[in-house]
Amino acid sequence: MNHSLKPWNTFGIDQSANEIVCAENEQQLLDAWQSAHALNQPVLILGEGSNVLFLESFYGTVIVNRIKGIQVTEQPDAWLLHVGAGENWHQLVQYTLRNNMPGLENLALIPGCVGSSPIQNIGAYGVELKQVCEYVDCIELATGKRSRLTAEMCHFGYRDSIFKHDYQDRFAIVAVGLRLTKQWQPVLSYGDLTRLDPVTVTPQQVFDAVCHMRTTKLPDPKVNGNAGSFFKNPVVSQETAQALLAQCPGAPHYPQNDGSVKLAAGWLIDQCQLKGVSVGGAAVHRQQALVLINSSNASSQDVVELAHYVRQKVGEKFAVWLEPEVRFIGALGEVNAVETIA
């Protein structure tokens, strides 16, 4: 238990693991998994650790996926990208813009690796991964058998996919296939983007605006450890949304295709005057209430207690119960985050 996980999670939580292995290709990843499995040890596959909270030290092997490579195929109407799971997501966004292949600019500055993007079906400012994902390549860890899942087979939902359910723990993502259409259409439905002119706006301007919004509102993990948005934006019934809007007519709300309504978790937290509230070394960020930060050598328990407090306050005021977006990792693997903070 002497391998520190502190450099491997953006929260900067000081837990450790029995073993940490950096895998630069599929074979290294398989070998590490199968070695640990032969010893009956649990295994956790990490990208950049930007969406995890280690609750305690991990009694097994952490495999850091660093499988790299970007291959581009041009078609008459689109660019097809085959991207290694260990590539940095934001650097991929920059690469596509540099090479005049727009479509990912709304997803700029989302922390983490490409291989993590399908697990959460990452999204920001009106765009989700599922809109550009063609396929996800996986290997079955027990057999080494490779399989390709189409976007439909991934069962993408809001911050959800098959990789959180049937494919969790048994498969590792090794590459992601993206399709960026040449008929670029800007998505300008959120935040500062609504001020841009859809007729003249360029992909670079969208990228710059997204980066500006994220850097001014979100803390730098190198300064204050954090895992980005800690809670999911809750999706509620029309009845719940109408009750909230009767109470707070100005509440941000986004009707969904299935009749449900998405609310803004950060706004709900802010309305409870929770910005800056702290428990031990963990605090609610003063600029963006959706982010919990490691302000001063926070323990995992500090973060859990703060998340519980925030959830209770929002639930009491609005009858809306927030769920963590961050994955909670216990000694033997992932645990239920809602149950942990309830």
Side-chain angles (χ1 to χ4, degrees), residues 166-222:
D166 300 4
Y167 271 51
Q168 190 180 9
D169 299 330
R170 296 190 300 122
F171 291 82
I173 295 171
V174 293
V176 177
L178 304 174
R179 183 180 190 276
L180 302 179
T181 176
K182 291 184 178 178
Q183 293 295 108
W184 179 71
Q185 292 286 326
V187 178
L188 307 174
S189 46
Y190 284 79
D192 296 352
L193 299 179
T194 57
R195 298 180 204 150
L196 299 173
D197 182 347
V199 178
T200 59
V201 71
T202 66
Q204 186 66 43
Q205 287 170 331
V206 175
F207 173 88
D208 291 342
V210 168
C211 289
H212 177 74
M213 284 189 285
R214 290 189 80 97
T215 51
T216 51
K217 289 180 184 172
L218 298 173
D220 182 347
K222 295 181 184 71

Side-chain angles (χ1 to χ4, degrees), residues 66-231:
R66 287 292 176 267
I67 299 170
K68 298 288 184 76
I70 303 174
Q71 297 163 311
V72 180
T73 307
E74 187 171 359
Q75 292 188 331
D77 60 341
W79 293 277
L80 304 182
L81 281 76
H82 179 88
V83 188
E87 290 284 350
N88 175 274
W89 176 264
H90 180 64
Q91 287 173 10
L92 171 68
V93 176
Q94 291 175 309
Y95 171 89
T96 56
L97 280 182
R98 269 200 315 273
N99 289 281
N100 299 312
M101 299 181 289
L104 300 181
E105 53 286 333
N106 292 56
L107 304 176
L109 278 181
I110 291 181
C113 283
V114 169
S116 306
S117 63
I119 300 173
Q120 287 284 105
N121 180 27
I122 60 170
Y125 303 110
V127 175
E128 287 185 317
L129 179 83
K130 69 177 182 181
Q131 294 161 243
V132 292
C133 182
E134 278 271 281
Y135 60 81
V136 178
D137 283 352
C138 308
I139 46 173
E140 188 173 21
L141 292 159
T143 63
K145 185 172 171 239
R146 217 167 192 277
S147 58
R148 174 165 290 186
L149 277 67
T150 63
E152 292 72 29
M153 292 162 71
C154 292
H155 297 169
F156 288 126
Y158 173 59
R159 299 296 172 271
D160 200 25
S161 71
I162 197 170
F163 305 106
K164 284 189 163 186
H165 304 285
D166 300 4
Y167 271 51
Q168 190 180 9
D169 299 330
R170 296 190 300 122
F171 291 82
I173 295 171
V174 293
V176 177
L178 304 174
R179 183 180 190 276
L180 302 179
T181 176
K182 291 184 178 178
Q183 293 295 108
W184 179 71
Q185 292 286 326
V187 178
L188 307 174
S189 46
Y190 284 79
D192 296 352
L193 299 179
T194 57
R195 298 180 204 150
L196 299 173
D197 182 347
V199 178
T200 59
V201 71
T202 66
Q204 186 66 43
Q205 287 170 331
V206 175
F207 173 88
D208 291 342
V210 168
C211 289
H212 177 74
M213 284 189 285
R214 290 189 80 97
T215 51
T216 51
K217 289 180 184 172
L218 298 173
D220 182 347
K222 295 181 184 71
V223 179
N224 286 122
N226 71 86
S229 301
F230 194 88
F231 295 101

Side-chain angles (χ1 to χ4, degrees), residues 4-16:
S4 174
L5 288 166
K6 194 168 184 177
W8 302 104
N9 73 99
T10 59
F11 242 121
I13 297 292
D14 196 9
Q15 300 287 7
S16 55

Side-chain angles (χ1 to χ4, degrees), residues 238-252:
Q238 277 189 333
E239 294 74 28
T240 302
Q242 281 162 0
L244 172 69
L245 290 166
Q247 188 182 344
C248 307

